[in-house]
Amino acid sequence: MSPGAPAAATAAAAATTATTATGATGLAPLELATLDAVCAAAPAALPSTDLAEAVGVTHGVLVDGALKTLAAREALVLTPVLHEVWVLTAEGTTYASAGSPEAQLVAHLATATAAAAGGGGGDGDGDGSGGGCSLPDVDAALGAGVRKIGMQQAMRQGWVVMDKPTKALRLAADAAASPPADAVAAALCALRDAAADGGGGGGAAAALPDEGVLKALAKRKLVTKKATKTFTVVGGPRLADARRPQATDLGRDALTSGAWRSLAFKPYNFAAAGKPVDGGHLHTLLKVREQFRLIFLEMGFAEMDSARYVESSFWNFDALFQPQQHPARDEHDTFFLSFPESSRLPDEADYVARVKAAHCGGPDGAAVTGGSRGYRYAWSAAEARKNILRTHTTAVSCRMLRRLATATADAGGVFTPAKMFSIDRVFRNETLDATHLAEFHQIEGLVADRGLSLGHLKGVIHTFFKKMGMDRLRFKPTHNPYTEPSLEVHAFHPGLDKWVEVGNSGMFRPEMLLPMGLPPDVRVIAWGLSLERPTMIKYGVSNIRDLFGHKMDLDAIQRNPICRITF
Amino acid sequence: MPTVSVARDALFGALGRTYTDEEFDELCFSYGLELDGITTEVPPSLGSRARSGTTTDVAAPPPAEPVVMYKVEVPANRYDLLCLEGLSAALRVFIGADRCAPAYALSPDPAAGTAPPLTLTVSASANAIRPYIVAAVLRGVTLTADRYRSLIDTQDKLHATLCRRRSLVAIGTHDADTVRGPLRYGAEDPAAIRFVPLAGDDELDGHGVVALYERDAQLKKYTPLLAGAPAYPVVRDGTGAVLSLPPLINGDRTKVTLATTNILIECTATDLTKAGVVLNTLVACYARWAAVPFTIEPVTIEYEAFLPPTVVVEEAEDAASREGSPHTVVTPDLSQPTVDASVAYINAAVGVTLSAEAIVDLLVRMQVSATVSSAGGKGIVANGDGPDDGATVSVSVPINRSDIIHACDVMEDVAIAYGFDAIPEHPLTTATVAPPSSSSAAPLSWRASSRRSAKIATPQCRCDCLSWVTLCTWTRRPRRGRPTGGGW
């Protein structure tokens, strides 16, 4: 951007006047020399190759050291000219000096034959007609690579034949009589010499091989086309201003003195790439999480404090009326803590007693649960005290509902309805695969109010999913240990053209709510879904490990677009 | 959720009509099942286990043809749907092919004063390891290869789910004709238990059996239930012959074969309620095969020292000193407990306005028979919804529907039969006052997200946000915000 661009150190002649020239105009000696050359040639256009020759630098130095900055000052106008030149590949370069593999093979066979003929008339290898060389011998002399290609090409040309039974190579009669010319090496040499003469690609036309030959060489990957770019240079609209300092600012002095009238302003460069916006990037999961939070907040839900990864079995299972023999409470499904192994039960002993009664059933259980028969087993306080990594955020909901019940009692039985949500991490002892980790995020919303029905549950779920563009929903009966009824939420996915399961929902069992002390006509409806699944669908992530943990794709985090949940 | 695999044509035969795959999928959806997959399979051969009976040798069946199988996912509370018999019975009633669930009866009926022919004595020694046992006999059964397979599969399914990998309940089925009463159940010194295990060749003692199955891919998961115990539970018949070594393996001598006509089912348990549920589920599915369909021959269980099941050992003053008392029961218990639900509650919770009669009709479709009483819902709360006109629906819980324990379960069945998709949607009218916007989010969540926003937005910080696993090895833990051992 700065006018004092790196000067061409190779422009030795100009360098002697460097200090004075730069001081006056902000231009480097090479740039001044270039301007002189262009002005001298005006109004004719100059090819940049000629210009490079005129100022005595290589083409590349001219372009980087003078043409680009002068063009930016609109002192010059550059019209790009594209040239395609054939150049030798590394392999081609080798053959240009050593001869093509087929020629090398022919030469080797010729000397070998001569040596055999001269050296005593065929003692060992003269058993066939005219002997020949075995493949290993040729490999030893020429290298296996050269031998293979040479054999292929030479046999195609009919220069060399192979003795089927002995697999020995020998020269064909014609080639033995008069050694064939190495056209390939000749063409390669011609091309190499032409390139060496041509320098910047300009002129000096040695006899170049014709296009057909070049194409054949290209097929053998001995030559390749290389694109080069030169320019046609003419004076630009501000050629006259080029030697004057370029003003980049319009200050007070310039305005009051009227100097602005004669100043040469540096033109704006609207094509320049912007400065990269500096800043960090939000994790993909969190972007989606934020959208879900906004949806809940828009619907008037308050976020529950869910900062509690370790939970007691009591709040995670027992208080939810999930029996102690339930398979989910197995160590196959749940992580148990070894230290501290257990925690105290809640201080409200009467609440714990009611939970126990609800599990055990009998008249005591029926009395606190509105007539439930209970699970009729021996409820163990020790089992309820066991610490686990919470298996669902419903453990949090459970604590909040108990708090709601306590608040109702404190308010003299006046119940205040509640709408709450949480989005946080839960843990399951799952078999890990591309879509399952042992931990994931659960999104959960609940409403506690008097007189709620399944109709309300369907209504609130519909509102929730509509905000993500899911309009067509169906509900399938299912089973959750602590909700009854339980409804699986299915939505129609227009992209996939089918119904997909999007969440789970239900009405908490009275055996959970009544022991808490909530009024009998208060019902609690709730629904939940995972955060990972919509995120993976939204951002096209097929392996959850790319999203989460130490193999996370950092690049994707930096480049993923902002999130707007649509379906 | 457990999955049951049934032959499509056998299922449609039992339902008395055919469906396209889409139609059947739709039916499953509305009942709360899921058609999980459709495959074409050759039914597995029964193996020598079923064929070489102790008394009669049955010829090997001809090679089976491949059949279309439906894999149906069953909700985890409906164990009665885990076999073709139970599934088709439930769906027949749901689609209206049958009007009611079958009535099960005991024969001989102890209520009529006839004692069951078979008696099972439970020694106090069982209390130390597996205190409970229940049993029943199905008489005059005709087994076919399909029925045999169903019987075995259902036991496996129940063991894996309701029985919690046999730790709660273990099922044993036997050919009742090979068994002499009275039976005895107790815990004995493993060295004294000698028998040929099912499909085994040699007689082994208790230690030998456990050692044998510790190497068995299928059974090794159950050996820890016994290994190390000073005494193993064992069921013997009147002659002292071993029927089973629960929860591991039955004896070969009493195994059920295709020639078996009288089937003895015994379930040993650490949880008596679950044992009753398992036994009832099995007889509800298979009593239809009996010579007199839906009749079951009961078994008298005489406990020397019965432990009341709802006392927690840890709370007893001294666990070891817990003493039971003599106790006699007849199993299976086919009593149908009553669960009441007020009409007002059902309507309010579902969000519909149905008459008591309409509710009873809907319940019939769920295999639940109910009566209307206007005596007022005593015992069961109406949950205070609206004026309670006193109409109450009294459900007598079928023996295969142990999941119905509260009025809410009745309400659920009404909702399913009514159709979840038919329930009208109500807008949520719950008015709540949202806390101030900065605190409506939980404090920690709010602090974290504010801090995160600042770190990301401030150019000097330029932090990229990661999402880290909580469960990782100590060496992989993130240190000073920089993960180690990872991909960068």
Side-chain angles (χ1 to χ4, degrees):
Chain A
M1 215 42 57
S2 103
T10 49
T16 51
T17 55
T19 39
T20 51
T22 308
T25 65
L27 286 183
L30 176 61
E31 288 164 332
L32 292 170
T34 306
L35 283 176
D36 289 344
V38 171
C39 290
L46 275 176
S48 54
T49 43
D50 290 6
L51 196 54
E53 215 164 302
V55 298
V57 294
T58 64
H59 188 258
V61 169
L62 175 76
V63 171
D64 288 337
L67 292 188
K68 280 184 183 168
T69 46
L70 290 173
R73 286 186 173 208
E74 297 180 1
L76 301 178
V77 173
L78 307 178
T79 315
V81 185
L82 289 173
H83 308 273
E84 281 194 325
V85 232
W86 289 101
V87 292
L88 271 61
T89 62
E91 196 183 352
T93 314
T94 325
Y95 299 159
S97 38
S100 70
E102 55 269 35
Q104 289 184 44
L105 180 65
V106 167
H108 174 75
L109 290 178
T111 31
T113 316
D123 64 50
D125 48 338
D127 54 348
S129 58
C133 292
S134 71
L135 296 184
D137 287 352
V138 183
D139 281 354
L142 301 177
V146 170
R147 192 269 299 159
K148 251 182 218 160
I149 303 169
M151 195 172 99
Q152 203 181 17
Q153 296 292 335
M155 285 169 86
R156 185 177 297 164
Q157 302 275 3
W159 297 344
V160 171
V161 290
M162 182 188 265
D163 242 14
K164 281 274 157 58
T166 60
K167 286 204 164 179
L169 294 174
R170 60 184 168 78
L171 286 177
D174 288 356
S178 62
D182 188 358
V184 170
L188 289 172
C189 286
L191 196 58
R192 182 187 58 188
D193 298 343
D197 289 349
L208 275 177
D210 69 36
E211 200 67 7
V213 173
L214 286 170
K215 280 204 174 130
L217 292 177
K219 214 170 176 185
R220 289 180 64 177
K221 298 204 169 97
L222 303 180
V223 299
T224 180
K225 259 188 181 168
K226 189 177 149 200
T228 58
K229 190 159 83 171
T230 64
F231 301 94
T232 312
V233 184
V234 291
R238 305 189 55 211
L239 180 60
D241 288 338
R243 289 166 201 271
R244 303 171 51 203
Q246 306 280 296
T248 54
D249 194 16
L250 183 56
R252 182 172 174 275
D253 289 349
L255 284 170
T256 50
S257 69
W260 63 273
R261 288 177 204 280
S262 54
L263 277 177
F265 287 100
K266 186 179 179 189
Y268 282 108
N269 179 5
F270 294 109
K275 240 181 154 182
V277 179
D278 240 357
H281 302 83
L282 205 52
H283 187 268
T284 323
L285 269 178
L286 288 168
K287 284 192 241 186
V288 180
R289 192 182 89 136
E290 203 50 35
Q291 289 305 303
F292 278 109
R293 281 185 68 211
L294 283 176
I295 289 174
F296 275 117
L297 293 172
E298 281 165 16
M299 289 170 69
F301 283 64
E303 187 166 5
M304 294 183 261
D305 189 355
S306 54
R308 186 186 287 274
Y309 286 175
V310 175
E311 192 51 277
S312 70
S313 293
F314 180 83
W315 287 110
N316 197 83
F317 296 121
D318 295 282
L320 290 163
F321 195 56
Q322 196 159 347
Q324 294 187 330
Q325 315 86 344
H326 194 277
R329 302 183 65 157
D330 232 43
E331 58 187 22
H332 295 274
D333 292 274
T334 300
F335 292 112
F336 287 85
L337 262 67
S338 37
F339 183 82
E341 203 173 340
S342 59
S343 49
R344 278 181 300 122
L345 290 178
D347 291 333
E348 309 108 319
D350 55 333
Y351 173 46
V352 177
R354 287 197 299 271
V355 169
K356 176 182 174 177
H359 282 251
C360 293
D364 291 351
V368 298
T369 57
S372 177
R373 297 170 60 217
Y375 292 119
R376 289 154 280 146
Y377 71 99
W379 186 84
S380 151
E383 186 65 38
R385 276 198 299 267
K386 284 184 183 168
N387 281 333
I388 57 165
L389 291 177
R390 68 169 172 219
T391 62
H392 46 205
T393 48
T394 317
V396 175
S397 310
C398 186
R399 282 174 177 271
M400 295 298 148
L401 288 170
R402 167 63 184 159
R403 194 178 290 175
L404 198 61
T406 320
T408 306
D410 291 347
V414 179
F415 170 77
T416 311
K419 292 190 287 195
M420 302 186 275
F421 79 97
S422 64
I423 306 174
D424 213 335
R425 201 172 280 201
V426 298
F427 305 86
R428 307 254 172 102
N429 196 354
E430 298 248 16
T431 313
L432 310 186
D433 61 28
T435 54
H436 292 90
L437 283 182
E439 54 195 291
F440 61 97
H441 293 84
Q442 211 174 34
I443 304 169
E444 178 167 330
L446 70 85
V447 186
D449 199 359
R450 295 182 193 271
L452 290 177
S453 71
L454 291 181
H456 292 111
L457 178 62
K458 286 179 67 178
V460 71
I461 289 175
H462 211 141
T463 311
F464 180 80
F465 282 101
K466 224 181 239 173
K467 282 176 176 285
M468 289 171 258
M470 295 180 222
D471 211 8
R472 292 172 63 192
L473 298 183
R474 291 181 67 191
F475 297 87
K476 182 188 145 209
T478 185
H479 170 71
N480 299 326
Y482 42 87
T483 56
E484 188 82 355
S486 308
L487 300 77
E488 215 168 79
V489 189
H490 291 243
F492 188 76
H493 193 299
L496 301 173
D497 194 30
K498 67 173 184 182
W499 291 90
V500 293
E501 186 193 333
V502 293
N504 209 334
S505 69
M507 197 176 258
F508 283 124
R509 292 190 71 101
E511 292 102 319
M512 164 186 166
L513 303 179
L514 293 175
M516 285 177 171
L518 284 168
D521 59 340
V522 167
R523 280 188 286 269
V524 181
I525 54 179
W527 74 101
L529 58 155
S530 92
L531 177 63
E532 277 74 4
R533 190 144 176 260
T535 307
M536 289 171 79
I537 294 173
K538 174 83 201 160
Y539 286 101
V541 179
S542 55
N543 189 336
I544 195 163
R545 296 176 189 101
D546 293 339
L547 198 63
F548 213 135
H550 67 282
K551 287 184 176 163
M552 194 155 40
D553 186 351
L554 206 52
D555 212 35
I557 291 173
Q558 291 170 351
R559 269 183 301 157
N560 272 339
I562 57 164
C563 170
R564 182 173 161 260
I565 302 174
T566 50
F567 203 39
Chain B
M1 298 231 179
T3 305
V4 54
S5 220
V6 293
R8 182 193 62 186
D9 295 340
L11 178 65
F12 289 172
L15 293 180
R17 60 159 292 186
T18 58
Y19 292 86
T20 63
D21 293 343
E22 290 74 27
E23 286 168 345
F24 188 72
D25 189 36
E26 202 61 25
L27 174 66
C28 284
F29 192 95
S30 55
Y31 196 70
L33 307 169
E34 192 173 323
L35 182 54
D36 209 25
I38 303 168
T39 55
T40 305
E41 285 173 20
V42 178
S45 123
L46 294 180
S48 58
R49 177 172 160 182
R51 286 199 303 275
S52 56
T54 41
T55 49
T56 325
D57 264 32
V58 180
E65 295 288 313
V67 290
V68 178
M69 302 294 287
Y70 276 172
K71 288 202 187 328
V72 180
E73 210 179 273
V74 171
N77 59 340
R78 289 298 301 273
Y79 305 100
D80 59 312
L81 306 179
L82 281 174
C83 61
L84 171 71
E85 289 74 15
L87 183 65
S88 56
L91 288 179
R92 273 184 72 84
V93 176
F94 188 64
I95 62 177
D98 287 333
R99 264 299 288 171
C100 58
Y104 295 89
L106 295 181
S107 165
D109 188 359
T114 326
L118 206 55
T119 302
L120 203 163
T121 318
V122 184
S123 129
S125 58
N127 286 348
I129 181 158
R130 221 172 164 81
Y132 307 109
I133 186 165
V134 292
V137 180
L138 301 178
R139 292 274 172 199
V141 171
T142 312
L143 282 179
T144 63
D146 287 337
R147 286 178 169 189
Y148 184 89
R149 211 176 280 121
S150 169
L151 185 68
I152 303 296
D153 284 352
T154 307
Q155 288 178 57
D156 287 347
K157 294 262 159 60
L158 287 172
H159 276 149
T161 54
L162 188 56
C163 304
R164 205 170 170 184
R165 282 179 272 268
R166 299 194 191 180
S167 62
L168 299 180
V169 186
I171 308 163
T173 50
H174 308 273
D175 186 332
D177 294 331
T178 63
V179 173
R180 295 265 165 68
L183 307 178
R184 288 189 288 121
Y185 172 58
E188 295 174 23
D189 175 10
I193 306 171
R194 294 196 63 83
F195 69 109
V196 180
L198 189 63
D201 301 318
D202 305 314
E203 189 177 276
L204 299 168
D205 69 359
H207 295 300
V209 171
V210 170
L212 176 67
Y213 291 118
E214 268 167 357
R215 297 190 303 271
D216 185 283
Q218 300 297 320
L219 292 172
K220 69 177 175 199
K221 54 181 179 264
Y222 306 124
T223 53
L225 296 172
L226 285 184
Y232 290 176
V234 62
V235 183
R236 293 181 189 270
D237 78 354
T239 66
V242 172
L243 268 66
S244 63
L245 183 71
L248 202 52
I249 192 79
N250 291 348
D252 193 67
R253 198 181 66 82
T254 58
K255 71 184 169 190
V256 175
T257 69
L258 285 176
T260 301
T261 53
N262 299 313
I263 302 175
L264 167 69
I265 307 170
E266 43 92 0
C267 306
T268 55
T270 53
D271 181 322
L272 184 58
T273 308
K274 284 274 191 294
V277 171
V278 169
L279 184 63
N280 279 2
T281 304
L282 285 170
V283 299
C285 287
Y286 298 119
R288 69 193 68 240
W289 298 341
V292 183
F294 306 113
T295 60
I296 301 126
E297 182 185 300
V299 175
T300 306
I301 315 281
E302 290 174 352
Y303 288 93
E304 284 176 5
F306 181 75
L307 295 177
T310 50
V311 174
V312 183
V313 175
E314 74 200 42
E315 289 173 0
E317 300 208 339
D318 182 0
S321 73
R322 255 189 97 199
E323 281 181 18
S325 48
H327 179 63
T328 301
V329 286
V330 173
T331 63
D333 177 11
L334 299 187
S335 65
Q336 301 199 359
T338 304
V339 171
D340 292 347
S342 82
V343 170
Y345 162 69
I346 293 174
N347 278 330
V350 178
V352 289
T353 48
L354 296 169
S355 68
E357 291 69 29
I359 288 173
V360 169
D361 276 353
L362 288 172
L363 285 171
V364 164
R365 290 186 56 206
M366 303 302 289
Q367 291 172 294
V368 174
S369 62
T371 53
V372 182
S373 68
S374 51
K378 59 177 188 311
I380 298 295
V381 290
N383 277 11
D385 288 301
D388 189 353
D389 62 2
T392 293
V393 172
S394 287
V395 162
S396 73
V397 180
I399 61 165
N400 56 341
R401 289 299 307 276
S402 59
D403 59 300
I404 301 179
I405 58 174
H406 190 275
C408 70
D409 299 302
V410 177
M411 179 265 284
E412 184 213 27
D413 273 7
V414 173
I416 293 175
Y418 188 82
F420 280 0
D421 287 330
I423 296 170
E425 260 180 40
H426 294 294
L428 187 67
T429 51
T430 299
T432 51
V433 179
S437 60
S438 63
S439 64
S440 68
L444 188 65
S445 166
W446 176 259
R447 265 208 309 274
S449 84
S450 309
R451 199 163 155 68
R452 197 156 43 226
S453 308
K455 285 229 169 189
I456 286 173
T458 313
Q460 286 84 351
C461 293
R462 253 197 75 201
C463 291
D464 283 340
C465 173
L466 305 181
S467 187
W468 204 251
V469 285
T470 309
L471 304 172
C472 61
T473 56
W474 184 243
T475 49
R476 280 251 168 106
R477 75 197 187 277
R479 263 166 283 189
R480 294 172 67 89
R482 178 158 291 275
T484 56
W488 67 85

